[in-house]
Structures are given as structure tokens and as C-alpha cells.
Amino acid sequence: MRLHHLAPPALTLLIGCSPGPVAQDEASGTEVTGDESGTSTPTGGGETDATGGTGEPPVLDTYGFANGCFSLRSGDKYLAASADAKAFAFAADKAGAARFFMKAADLGTYLLYDQDRGYLVAKDGPLQRLTKLDSDVTLIDDSYVSGAEWTLETSAIDWAQYQLRNRRNDLLLGADALAAEGLPVTFEAAADCQPHPELTLDATGMVKRTKFDDGDLYGIVDAHSHILSNYAFGGGGLFHGGPFHRLGVEHALPDCSISHGELGRKDFFGYTFDASGADAADLSSLLPDLLAGELSKDNHATAGYPEFTDWPNGPRRSTHQTQYYLWLQRAYLAGLRLVVQHATTNAIICDFMIGEGIQKSRYGCDDMTAVDRIIDESYAMERYIDAQSGGPGLGWFRVVHTPAEAREVIAGGKLAVILGIETSNLFDCKLTPGAGAPTCDEAYIEAQLDHYYDLGVRAIFPVHKYDNKFSPGDGDRAFIELGNFANSGHWSNFTLDCPDPQVGGFDHGDVNFGGLNMPRDVYDSKAPIDNSAFPDAPLNTTTKYIAEILAPPLVGPYCQNASFTPLGEHLVSEMMARGMIIEVDHLPQWSYLRAYELLQAAKYPASGSHGRNNNGQLYQLGGVSTTGFGVCRDDTPGSTVQGFKDKIQFIKDKGGYPAEGFGFDLNGFAGARGPRFGDGVCPSPQTDPITYPFASYADDVEFTQPVVGNRELDFNTEGLVHIGLLPELIEDARRDAVDPADIEPLFRSAEAYIRMWELAEKRGAELGG
């Protein structure tokens, strides 16, 4: 997560058998149950006798109903809508039965969506028929559970049949209302259901190529991703849109006026980042709008599914989702095989927007609150995709915990996902602790690493934007300096006493807020300013220092005036002992150099997922970095991939595995690849636009024109609108390449990343043993 332009502002799984006959879905390459009509026929349990032979109910399949079409029968009565279409009851014959499309909300849990677009719902007891649902997203209420979700269970009355448990009430489906004892129900295959609203994949075929002839894995890594940023910043919609939602696309990607206000006028952060940029935003002109609680000018059209008038738009709309699960699946079909999913957030952005009453939150703004939720939701997303695919383990999205597991998943033709953390107040270890803060000593750090390792986290940034107990922040010169001031109570700490030569990163150059810079000799000295009131009164707290904030910048080659603390070095050492992936690219200059001293002493690799490599030392240690292609073509064939070819040669010269993948940082306020075509985009006329259909680099999947709802996308003039246009980005580069082999190292980047991880585990075992 770059934040280059920062404004100041279980379900317990039901045990079930395999879902009977299995067919391949050519669009996804994953296994689903069902006949050619899409109606699945799960196995029952009717052949088991009344006692089940063991005194326990038999295991009935609860997974194979996904995307099937069924009517519900209990005895000789069928579930049907009432005459006024406002309720449901078991009161009809077969001819009058409702026909339900079964949309999986989780493993074994479904939405029942009838032929006339109505849902079976129970809020307080009676069985209702609703055509519009509320959700935790539309209400901005984390406690809300929809009454439209039904979990399938073996009937307690007749073990050959099912009962339906309402997730909201934990009561069972009765004749016309919820009951403590549920009706036994049989699902009968039906026809002519109304499909539940969903986006299209715009691809056909299935993954076939998983390895190169030499045995190395085939696939691309996105080494820096933020799929679930909708759960950051208090989860209230400051970042709008989810990669999935239990109630479907209408709740994953709804109109963003819920949180961004009419025409996006409450989206201060997005406005500052997207329209003004880091250096152009005029704080003094924004103050009246901040006091009023909304922008004085229209920001963006808010329509979500199905119109999507102004978003998703990776290059231009930073506060909107770009990694919906079907978009991610389209990228996976193009060759994406490994993703590092970093939980990220920013407490100060959250506190500012919530504290000023501009937006709402669903839970606390503290960094680790969001991190914990994002980790949970990463596993929930895995279950959700499994549920759409027919059962546990059948989905194409797999969270992995070891490099061996990652190899197995990728070799099996699926997408491996590594969990990571990228946030400032890691483990709640603020530089200036607040009331109730933990004691961040060595024992605490070791316990936290063990805890998050047990949760599946394998990659960690020791520091992000703000100073913490481990290291100064990354030294970003944009609005982030104001956030650092609010977060720590310290003045900015930039100096001209920098490494020679300087090693760059975010920490270099002019200091925008010159009036805030008062370097200190002791990095972790007592804070001179009490900013504890910031969460409740952010603007009043900040504007006390308006003169310093509006002072002119300092011009010169500045850098952060400190390095790792002893606790920070202990963190790095303990990560090594656990074989974890150390992310070094947000370290400021002095900490960056010290990190490499520690890495070299331990002969330990690292990840430079923002593209830094310390003049090749990263590759000499077995580490990896990230790449990109040029945008504009010139008269020289292969001009957009020449930089990539040169980088691969550089890696090879330094002794590294000659491959490099992407670090898109999507949903991380870092922008996205723009278009080649359009007035003023490139200095010379561009030719050879993307046309359809085209085949994947592996020639196993065909891609057609991408659409989102009712909007057709054009990579040529819009760029990387969302992750699902990765096929177009690759095709654009492939067409410019002199030889297809020019971009082959991109498809070896998952192999490169896993080799780095394997080396980290090997060294960890040696260091920690």
C-alpha cells in the first residue's frame, strides 16, 4: 500500500459428503456439480435407516445445491408465494410451487431466490418474500445479519430429508414461520429459475498449463495486493466495495453514496488523492469543506451494480474496489497464480473521517482491529469461492501457509494466496502509546509473531507510513507527514545527514510541511505534543498547528533522522527465526541499510514488493522484487518490454532466478496502469489496440470484451480498470514483444517468489534451531 497522496483528514463448516457426479466448468477450471442445465442434484441420505446405524444422523450433502434450481416440498405441500406476493408458506401443489435459484452465501448456506426475483426471508418469525434486502453494508452496521440466509441441515425428524436453519434467528423453517422444530424438506429439481444477479467472467476455457517443461511452476505473482481494503479504515465504506458479499454482487458493489455521499461529496480522501494529487491539494481551500462535512463540488458518480457509471476505475478512483472475485478469477485464468494479500489500513485517516462525522464506521479505527478482520475475511472469501464451486477445497482461491502448499496449489491449476500485514501501528506498537496500550517488549513481540503466524500470516512490513516502536515511518513526503504528526505527537524528523549515496525509496527529497520539521536526537524520546484528543476532535486538534502546517517546504535531499530501534531489530530477527517473509520496501533510508546488514549477516532473503532491490543486493540474497511494462510504444519494436528484459538480465547478472512479477498494489491507493490511447496520453500515435477475442499466453483460455454490469470496458482508452483486465495488459505487451520469450520470465515469477520463500524457511530453520 503506497498512500502516496494521503489526505489529513466462523461460520462452523457443516460436515458433508462429496457432491456426487462432478463436471468441469470450462469458464473457471474448477469443479462444480450439476447437469448441463446448471441444476445440481445433491446426494440425499434416504437409504440410511431411521437410526443411521450408529444412532447419529446421516451426513447429507449440503454443498451441491449451489446455482441449482429447486422447489421445496414438505409432505404433499410445496413452498409458494402468497397471493399478494409478500409472504411464503407450504400451501401449494407442485404446479404452484415457487422455483428457487440457490445462491451460495457460504458453505452449506444459501439465498433462496424465486422465479420472480423475490427472496425467502424471516426477520422475526413469519416467512416473508422480499425483493430488496438490507445488509451490514447498506446499513453500515456490523452486527446486522440478513434473514435471507438459510443453512441446510439433516432433518431431526426425518433423516432422509433436510431442515433449513435461519442464520439471523437460529430458528428453523416451519410451515409459514420460523419454529423451534423445523419441517422436513425435500428439494425437487425444477426448471426456469431466475438466476441470481451476478457479474460475468468474460472468458471461456480452463487452466491447463501449470508447469514449464523444466518442471518450474507456470504463473505470475502479484507480490503486493490488498483484496479486502473494504474492511480497513473502520469498515464503514471510506474504501467502498468488497471482493465478495454473502448476499451477492448487489451488496458487494452497491452505489457508493452510502458512505461517499451524493455525487461523492463526502469522499474527501478519494478527492484529494484522485483529483488534486499529493503536491497540488490546497489545504486552506479544503478547510471550509471539511468544516461543512462535504465537498463544495461534485466528486464522482456513485452508481454501483449494475450501471457502474464512474467506477471501478483503477487509474482514477482510488477509494473503490478493483478486485471483485470474478475479476480476480479472470486474472487467474490469464496466468496469475500467486497473490500476497496484505491486510492494510490507516487509523489516522479513519479517525479523521469518523471523528469529524463525515463518514461512519462499523468498528474501531485501530490498525490491528482492521488487520484481524481482514485476515478473517480472507478465509471467508476462500469459503465463499468454495461454496460457488460446489464444496470445501473445490474453489480456485486457496490460502496457503507453506511454500510446499503453494507449489501443490499452483501445480493443481489454482491460485495460491499468502497472507501478509502492511500497516503502521503493527501489533499496536505505536511510538507514543495511548491509554491501555500493550507493553511492546521482546516477549510481547515474540508472542504476537506466534499468534499471527498461527493465523496464517507469513509476510510482514516492520513499518508502513508512520513511526512506530520498530522504526521511523517510510518518510513519504505527501500528506502522510500530517498523519505521522497526529499519530505520534512528534514533530517531523527529517535531516540532511543522509546515506551517501542515498538509497531512495519513499524517504528522499524536499519536505513539504517545512514548519512541522524539528529533528530530534533521540527517536523514541517522550512526545512533546499531546494528540490524544485527535480521534474525537481531529480538525480542532490539527488546526492548533495551522501556521506550521501551512509554512513553506524545505528544499533539499532530506531523509529520516533515525534507524531501527533495538526492538525493531529484534522483530526482524524473530521473523527470520520463523522463516517469515520480510517486506523491506517501506523502510526509510537508514533503516533500509540496517535491514540489509541484518539480512546479509543471516544470509536471509527478502521481498521488495514495491520494486526496490538495493542495487542488486536483494537478488544476491535470493530475494525478489516487482516489475511493470512501459505504457507507450515508440518506433522501436519491443519498446514497452525492453525495460523488463533489461531487469531480467540484471537479476541474472546478480545471481538471482531470472524472473519477476507484478506488485500492483491495487486497493492500496497507488493508482493503476493507465491507457495507451487517448489525447495527450502518449507522445506519439499508438497502434495495434486490443481486439477480441484473444487467447491467453498459455493458449488455454479465450477472453472476450470485459463488461461490468451494463458497462463495457475498454483497456485501450481506460487502462487497468480492475484486476480482471490483466489479460489485456499481458496481451498488449505480448503484441509489442519481438519474441514471445521476451515476457516468459513474467510467467516464472510465481516460481521465483516461492524459491525466495523456501530459502527463508530453510534459513529460518537453521537460525531458529
Side-chain angles (χ1 to χ4, degrees):
M1 181 180 183
R2 289 193 178 93
L3 282 171
H4 283 168
H5 312 302
L6 181 63
L11 174 70
T12 301
L13 302 185
L14 298 172
I15 299 173
C17 58
S18 299
V22 175
Q24 288 289 334
D25 175 8
E26 291 189 353
S28 66
T30 57
E31 293 183 332
V32 296
T33 59
D35 58 26
E36 292 181 358
S37 68
T39 301
S40 49
T41 308
T43 56
E47 296 183 3
T48 304
D49 64 27
T51 67
T54 63
E56 296 293 332
V59 176
L60 301 185
D61 173 36
T62 62
Y63 308 125
F65 294 93
N67 302 320
C69 181
F70 298 93
S71 293
L72 272 67
R73 176 176 60 82
S74 185
D76 60 356
K77 297 296 183 182
Y78 288 79
L79 190 64
S82 60
D84 62 4
K86 294 182 178 179
F88 281 107
F90 284 93
D93 58 16
K94 186 172 184 177
R99 303 185 303 277
F100 292 105
F101 183 91
M102 302 281 282
K103 175 64 174 178
D106 201 337
L107 286 166
T109 300
Y110 298 89
L111 309 175
L112 276 65
Y113 187 68
D114 76 12
Q115 71 276 6
D116 297 313
R117 298 183 171 87
Y119 293 92
L120 173 64
V121 180
K123 290 185 176 180
D124 302 313
L127 302 183
Q128 298 176 290
R129 182 181 178 277
L130 300 179
T131 56
K132 184 176 181 179
L133 301 177
D134 289 324
S135 70
D136 55 329
V137 171
T138 61
L139 300 175
I140 314 182
D141 180 358
D142 205 46
S143 67
Y144 184 83
V145 176
S146 174
E149 292 189 48
W150 301 88
T151 299
L152 274 59
E153 302 173 351
T154 301
S155 170
I157 298 173
D158 181 347
W159 290 356
Q161 298 189 74
Y162 293 89
Q163 62 187 22
L164 275 67
R165 185 174 299 277
N166 189 266
R167 183 168 173 259
R168 176 183 175 89
N169 299 279
D170 199 32
L171 293 172
L172 298 169
L173 180 72
D176 58 6
L178 294 176
E181 184 177 273
L183 288 178
V185 172
T186 296
F187 289 83
E188 293 190 358
D192 299 321
C193 276
Q194 177 66 46
H196 193 264
E198 186 53 280
L199 298 181
T200 55
L201 190 58
D202 306 318
T204 55
M206 58 184 295
V207 169
K208 294 179 181 178
R209 191 170 191 188
T210 63
K211 290 185 178 182
F212 286 95
D213 292 342
D214 61 8
D216 286 357
L217 292 173
Y218 177 92
I220 300 168
V221 64
D222 181 357
H224 196 108
S225 183
H226 303 291
I227 298 170
L228 291 138
S229 291
N230 53 306
Y231 288 102
F233 314 107
L238 186 149
F239 182 92
H240 178 79
F244 77 102
H245 192 279
R246 298 175 69 98
L247 302 187
V249 65
E250 293 174 302
H251 296 266
L253 303 171
D255 190 303
C256 68
S257 60
I258 299 166
S259 55
H260 289 174
E262 184 179 359
L263 292 170
R265 289 189 173 197
K266 290 183 177 292
D267 182 21
F268 277 93
F269 184 48
Y271 171 78
T272 305
F273 181 90
D274 299 328
S276 300
D279 302 323
D282 183 350
L283 286 182
S284 59
S285 68
L286 278 177
L287 282 175
D289 290 357
L290 288 168
L291 290 168
E294 68 175 19
L295 294 162
S296 58
K297 60 179 69 175
D298 296 343
N299 186 10
H300 60 261
T302 60
Y305 179 86
E307 298 303 324
F308 294 111
T309 309
D310 205 13
W311 64 272
N313 190 336
R316 295 185 60 247
R317 294 285 173 238
S318 62
T319 50
H320 297 80
Q321 179 62 241
T322 59
Q323 301 201 77
Y324 186 64
Y325 84 98
L326 285 174
W327 305 339
L328 188 62
Q329 184 178 0
R330 194 170 187 265
Y332 143 74
L333 291 173
L336 184 65
R337 295 291 187 273
L338 182 62
V339 170
V340 184
Q341 153 54 23
H342 281 292
T344 193
T345 189
N346 186 296
I348 294 300
I349 297 173
C350 179
D351 281 336
F352 192 94
M353 300 303 288
I354 307 310
E356 288 301 318
I358 297 170
Q359 292 175 331
K360 297 179 181 178
S361 66
R362 292 168 56 175
Y363 34 78
C365 286
D366 291 345
D367 284 4
M368 296 310 292
T369 297
V371 165
D372 290 345
R373 184 59 178 270
I374 290 169
I375 292 169
D376 288 345
E377 294 297 333
S378 297
Y379 289 107
M381 183 171 175
E382 179 183 58
R383 292 199 314 271
Y384 183 84
I385 292 171
D386 276 358
Q388 312 312 309
S389 305
L394 296 182
W396 49 269
F397 181 103
R398 314 305 313 156
V399 177
V400 296
H401 301 137
T402 66
E405 189 178 353
R407 284 195 177 278
E408 181 180 1
V409 165
I410 296 171
K414 299 187 178 185
L415 176 72
V417 180
I418 300 170
L419 300 184
I421 300 174
E422 181 192 32
T423 198
S424 292
N425 296 318
L426 179 66
F427 305 151
D428 294 317
C429 289
K430 289 186 176 183
L431 179 59
T432 305
T439 300
C440 290
D441 56 17
E442 292 185 355
Y444 174 79
I445 298 309
E446 292 167 20
Q448 288 292 289
L449 284 172
D450 288 343
H451 171 68
Y452 283 96
Y453 191 94
D454 288 345
L455 292 179
V457 171
R458 295 296 181 268
I460 295 178
F461 283 84
V463 74
H464 189 212
K465 289 296 167 185
Y466 301 155
D467 301 347
N468 63 21
K469 284 286 190 184
F470 310 119
S471 166
D474 69 7
D476 196 315
R477 303 298 197 259
F479 287 104
I480 201 71
E481 293 175 48
L482 292 178
N484 203 13
F485 174 69
N487 193 60
S488 69
H490 279 285
W491 301 105
S492 298
N493 193 28
F494 295 104
T495 180
L496 291 170
D497 182 16
C498 299
D500 184 18
Q502 291 203 23
V503 292
F506 299 96
D507 178 26
H508 66 93
D510 299 347
V511 176
N512 283 346
F513 299 98
L516 290 178
N517 195 54
M518 300 181 191
R520 57 191 184 271
D521 293 331
V522 180
Y523 166 71
D524 53 0
S525 59
K526 183 178 179 181
I529 299 163
D530 180 6
N531 280 334
S532 58
F534 182 86
D536 295 322
L539 200 55
N540 285 342
T541 304
T542 305
T543 52
K544 293 177 184 178
Y545 307 97
I546 194 66
E548 290 85 352
I549 291 170
L550 297 179
L554 301 176
V555 178
Y558 285 85
C559 68
Q560 288 275 38
N561 187 34
S563 181
F564 272 119
T565 65
L567 190 64
E569 294 192 11
H570 187 73
L571 169 68
V572 171
S573 174
E574 289 297 318
M575 286 181 66
M576 290 180 183
R578 290 161 177 77
M580 299 181 80
I581 299 164
I582 301 171
E583 295 271 8
V584 295
D585 274 6
H586 273 291
L587 293 172
Q589 292 200 49
W590 288 115
S591 296
Y592 190 71
L593 291 177
R594 179 57 180 153
Y596 270 90
E597 292 175 351
L598 297 171
L599 293 168
Q600 288 169 338
K603 299 179 182 179
Y604 197 92
S607 173
S609 63
H610 282 313
R612 299 171 75 183
N613 64 71
N614 200 18
N615 197 32
Q617 291 186 43
L618 180 71
Y619 311 128
Q620 293 170 338
L621 287 165
V624 295
S625 62
T626 57
T627 196
F629 296 128
V631 175
C632 298
R633 298 185 191 175
D634 59 28
D635 295 335
T636 305
S639 59
T640 62
V641 299
Q642 187 60 50
F644 175 71
K645 291 173 61 179
D646 293 343
K647 186 67 172 297
I648 297 302
Q649 185 61 51
F650 179 69
I651 295 171
K652 188 175 182 179
D653 292 345
K654 294 295 183 179
Y657 180 84
E660 193 165 47
F662 295 117
F664 285 124
D665 206 354
L666 289 174
N667 297 349
F669 306 103
R673 154 73 184 265
R676 278 201 297 125
F677 294 84
D679 292 342
V681 172
C682 290
S684 59
Q686 299 292 293
T687 59
D688 193 19
I690 296 294
T691 56
Y692 298 93
F694 65 85
S696 64
Y697 187 82
D699 201 28
D700 51 9
V701 176
E702 182 177 89
F703 297 96
T704 54
Q705 183 84 45
V707 298
V708 286
N710 297 331
R711 173 183 157 201
E712 188 175 273
L713 303 179
D714 185 357
F715 176 82
N716 298 310
T717 60
E718 297 180 88
L720 193 70
V721 173
H722 58 60
I723 189 64
L725 273 71
L726 176 61
E728 281 74 7
L729 187 152
I730 295 169
E731 175 69 3
D732 195 53
R734 185 195 65 78
R735 291 184 182 203
D736 189 38
V738 176
D739 185 318
D742 291 349
I743 62 172
E744 180 182 297
L746 176 68
F747 292 88
R748 291 180 177 271
S749 60
E751 172 74 29
Y753 196 97
I754 292 174
R755 287 186 178 207
M756 176 274 295
W757 192 8
E758 288 170 336
L759 178 57
E761 281 210 338
K762 178 177 180 293
R763 290 298 295 137
E766 293 166 352
L767 294 167

